Amino acid sequence: GAQIIDLMMLVIDVTKGMQTQSAECLVIGQIACQKMVVVLNKIDLLPEGKRQSAIEKMTKKMQKTLENTKFSGCPVVAVAAKPGGPEAPESENPLGISELIEVLKSQAYLPSRDPSGHFLMAVDHCFSIKGQGTVMTGTILSGSVSLGDNVEIPALKVTKKVKSMQMFHTPVTYAMQGDRVGVCVTQFDPKLLERGLICTPDSLHTIHAAIISLKKIQYFRGALQTKAKFHITVGHETVMGRVMFFSPAPANFNEEIQENVFDFEKDYLYQEQYLSKDSVSSEENKENDQAGEVQLPKQQWALLEFEKPVTCPKLCLVIGSKLDTDIHANTCRLAFHGVLLQGMEDKNYTETFLPKLKVYKQKHKEGQVERAMDDYSVIGRSLFKKETNIQIFVGLKVKLSTGEDGIIDGGFGQSGKFKIRIPDGLKPDTKMLLTAASKKKSKGGKGDMNKEDESSKNDSAQPVTISLIFKRYVFDTQKKMIQS
């Protein structure tokens, strides 16, 4: 329903002020709507002598709350819709309602409407009329419809012909985007479709997963974690979905992103969670504070995987929430909102579609140089586990902490050690370091392996470390390792 609002009234109990649910309505308004009027209700509960000052106080408070939202400076009207409450006699006149009507008239506007494109209508009531057919009432979200047109009801997988249409009890032959209309089609059981979407045949897609661009809702407390489940509201339904967040490669963090398109040619960086000011850990903050502002990408995306398929148009609004949060807890349950850029219709999308999505993880492994073999090769350890197949790492580049570049040449012995080729040769300083270290080690006696390890840990103050950095694409079936 959030997609059909042009002007919103936020009704606040003047004796209580903003409640958790009013705040959630405000959040939805910010996502889905352009204009708002605040209505302070139940002013009859304020003692007459203090009424005016209490209304002024609450008005100021509301204006302060809205200061940093798109509704800053919106009108605030005080009313009592039913003075005395439900038990009061009918002769009691409402307070402030005529002023509210005037404000609504002044705020009302004609939104720009466009009849082109596919017909799509959000149905919110469905009932049958004997001898006529089944009527679906709702709001046209896009396109237009005429008498005699065929419309599809995707949820039921049927196509029906439009027999007649009415707008506010007046028969019409045509209706377009923004119109509120009742469409009568050949008979079907109205219980099968309480609410949903109807459309031009074959224009909507049923999808199992989607790529969305998204923004975190600032009032949501806590991080948005990859692999977490959210209630995903999309099209006309809310289903459970699992998320995986990703961002541009760090070099492209500041690049302007084209709106409403997703580029499958680019590389994207996998994120354990959505990046926001509060998600960058305090440790990193300490370092970054000295270096200036925390770097955040201009745009982030998520892969949504639905627990059951959903039918929706492309580029539709998506809202992610944690609706299982206790409603009495004073927290915002709405977590993020975004735009659906690409749906995946194939049930086997993990095999057919996801490999096209170039999301990578940056891997960083550290090891140590055990000793030099000659001027152009060294033996390394602690980079791989004993059982690792070192063959798959052969040919990858590594860097020594002393500055040399090396290439993994192959395994060495059975314990996970390996040989590194240094094409430009070891620097004299490095050779000295390594000779000193191995001398100390041989002094430590030829005891068992552990003793040798311990003594080398204690003695060689600065071991030469080896770092291996590579990328691995999350959806690459071959799990290839890639270095730039």
Side-chain angles (χ1 to χ4, degrees):
Q3 301 184 60
I4 62 173
I5 304 169
D6 294 311
L7 168 64
M8 144 178 181
M9 277 195 295
L10 185 64
V11 182
I12 302 284
D13 179 334
V14 75
T15 63
K16 292 182 180 162
M18 274 294 248
Q19 300 288 295
T20 307
Q21 274 168 305
S22 350
E24 285 188 351
C25 293
L26 180 58
V27 169
I28 292 173
Q30 287 226 79
I31 295 168
C33 172
Q34 294 311 315
K35 290 185 94 169
M36 182 171 85
V37 174
V38 174
V39 182
L40 302 176
N41 191 22
K42 304 190 182 180
I43 57 170
D44 57 313
L45 297 180
L46 301 169
E48 280 208 41
K50 298 181 183 163
R51 188 174 291 172
Q52 207 37 50
S53 67
I55 289 171
E56 280 165 20
K57 199 171 160 192
M58 186 56 82
T59 302
K60 279 209 177 82
K61 205 170 168 186
M62 286 307 302
Q63 283 163 339
K64 184 97 185 90
T65 302
L66 298 174
E67 230 170 33
N68 298 324
T69 71
K70 66 155 81 155
F71 304 123
S72 176
C74 79
V76 181
V77 188
V79 305
K82 185 97 168 65
E87 312 304 310
E90 287 305 316
S91 55
E92 280 284 345
N93 283 328
L95 305 174
I97 295 294
S98 50
E99 289 88 330
L100 175 58
I101 289 170
E102 287 311 309
V103 168
L104 286 175
K105 279 186 190 166
S106 73
Q107 294 294 308
Y109 62 102
L110 272 177
S112 56
R113 302 296 193 201
D114 177 9
S116 69
H118 290 304
F119 166 66
L120 177 66
M121 172 168 152
V123 173
D124 44 51
H125 286 93
C126 191
F127 53 91
S128 60
I129 299 179
K130 230 184 169 133
Q132 302 264 326
T134 301
V135 175
M136 298 174 282
T137 62
T139 304
I140 300 180
L141 300 179
S142 70
S144 63
V145 62
S146 301
L147 275 187
D149 282 358
N150 280 330
V151 295
E152 183 186 358
I153 308 168
L156 309 182
K157 300 192 171 36
V158 295
T159 298
K160 298 276 181 186
K161 200 183 195 99
V162 176
K163 292 172 69 179
S164 64
M165 294 196 290
Q166 276 194 4
M167 262 199 253
F168 300 102
H169 305 297
T170 310
V172 291
T173 58
Y174 171 85
M176 63 175 271
Q177 183 186 52
D179 284 337
R180 182 87 200 148
V181 62
V183 175
C184 181
V185 299
T186 42
Q187 199 82 44
F188 70 86
D189 179 359
K191 286 198 188 77
L192 297 176
L193 185 80
E194 182 191 354
R195 49 193 351 191
L197 295 168
I198 60 171
C199 60
T200 303
D202 295 328
S203 65
L204 276 194
H205 308 293
T206 299
I207 59 175
H208 297 267
I211 292 170
I212 65 165
S213 61
L214 79 156
K215 296 251 181 291
K216 182 179 177 182
I217 289 168
Q218 69 194 69
Y219 309 104
F220 182 77
R221 292 190 201 145
L224 304 182
Q225 301 282 4
T226 281
K227 294 200 171 81
K229 283 185 177 176
F230 290 89
H231 291 86
I232 308 291
T233 303
V234 55
H236 219 60
E237 19 190 354
T238 298
V239 299
M240 290 305 285
R242 195 181 287 283
V243 292
M244 180 195 90
F245 298 105
F246 56 98
S247 62
N252 308 333
F253 263 23
N254 291 324
E255 229 176 60
E256 284 302 326
I257 307 283
Q258 254 186 303
E259 252 193 301
N260 296 346
V261 279
F262 184 77
D263 187 350
F264 281 96
E265 296 308 307
K266 289 196 164 136
D267 274 18
Y268 298 95
L269 178 61
Y270 171 90
Q271 300 292 358
E272 288 292 348
Q273 60 183 41
Y274 179 89
L275 297 181
S276 59
K277 279 200 179 71
D278 50 351
S279 74
V280 180
S281 73
S282 50
E283 278 309 301
E284 286 176 40
N285 273 348
K286 276 183 204 145
E287 290 168 28
N288 290 333
D289 278 349
Q290 289 141 16
E293 195 53 29
V294 179
Q295 275 282 302
L296 291 175
K298 285 201 168 164
Q299 178 63 64
Q300 292 175 68
W301 297 270
L303 168 70
L304 293 184
E305 301 188 71
F306 303 114
E307 286 196 352
K308 67 182 209 8
V310 293
T311 302
C312 60
K314 211 176 161 180
L315 298 183
C316 70
L317 173 67
V318 179
I319 298 178
S321 326
K322 285 272 186 200
L323 298 180
D324 39 9
T325 311
D326 174 16
I327 185 65
H328 302 294
N330 180 19
T331 75
C332 176
R333 298 177 302 161
L334 306 163
F336 61 82
H337 67 97
V339 176
L340 193 139
L341 302 178
Q342 182 79 44
M344 300 171 209
E345 293 177 62
D346 188 346
K347 205 173 174 168
N348 301 320
Y349 66 90
T350 46
E351 288 127 52
T352 57
F353 196 97
L354 288 186
K356 292 183 206 157
L357 180 58
K358 299 201 288 197
V359 175
Y360 68 86
K361 287 183 182 179
Q362 190 79 36
K363 301 280 194 181
H364 189 177
K365 287 173 169 293
E366 289 266 332
Q368 287 182 2
V369 175
E370 173 146 304
R371 59 188 169 87
M373 279 178 83
D374 53 49
D375 288 355
Y376 291 94
S377 56
V378 296
I379 301 296
R381 62 182 170 88
S382 315
L383 192 67
F384 305 114
K385 292 194 181 86
K386 207 170 173 175
E387 58 276 9
T388 306
N389 172 12
I390 294 175
Q391 261 340 91
I392 56 177
F393 291 89
V394 168
L396 289 184
K397 296 180 225 147
V398 293
K399 202 166 188 70
L400 303 192
S401 53
T402 43
E404 291 91 340
D405 291 317
I407 293 162
I408 296 177
D409 228 6
F412 184 82
Q414 299 302 307
S415 57
K417 292 182 186 176
F418 53 99
K419 192 174 159 190
I420 296 173
R421 193 168 83 248
I422 314 282
D424 298 335
L426 289 169
K427 296 179 190 163
D429 295 0
T430 313
K431 275 200 300 206
M432 277 167 67
L433 253 178
L434 292 172
T435 332
S438 57
K439 270 189 187 145
K440 278 186 186 165
K441 212 178 269 182
S442 55
K443 260 195 197 144
K446 301 252 185 301
D448 62 12
M449 197 57 194
N450 290 352
K451 273 198 194 130
E452 186 183 310
D453 264 11
E454 275 169 31
S455 65
S456 71
K457 267 187 201 143
N458 301 340
D459 294 350
S460 61
Q462 242 5 74
V464 178
T465 56
I466 303 161
S467 80
L468 166 65
I469 296 175
F470 60 90
K471 294 196 312 199
R472 189 178 260 160
Y473 289 103
V474 179
F475 301 113
D476 174 15
T477 43
Q478 264 119 38
K479 296 204 180 329
K480 285 197 293 284
M481 289 167 282
I482 290 155
Q483 291 182 316
S484 51

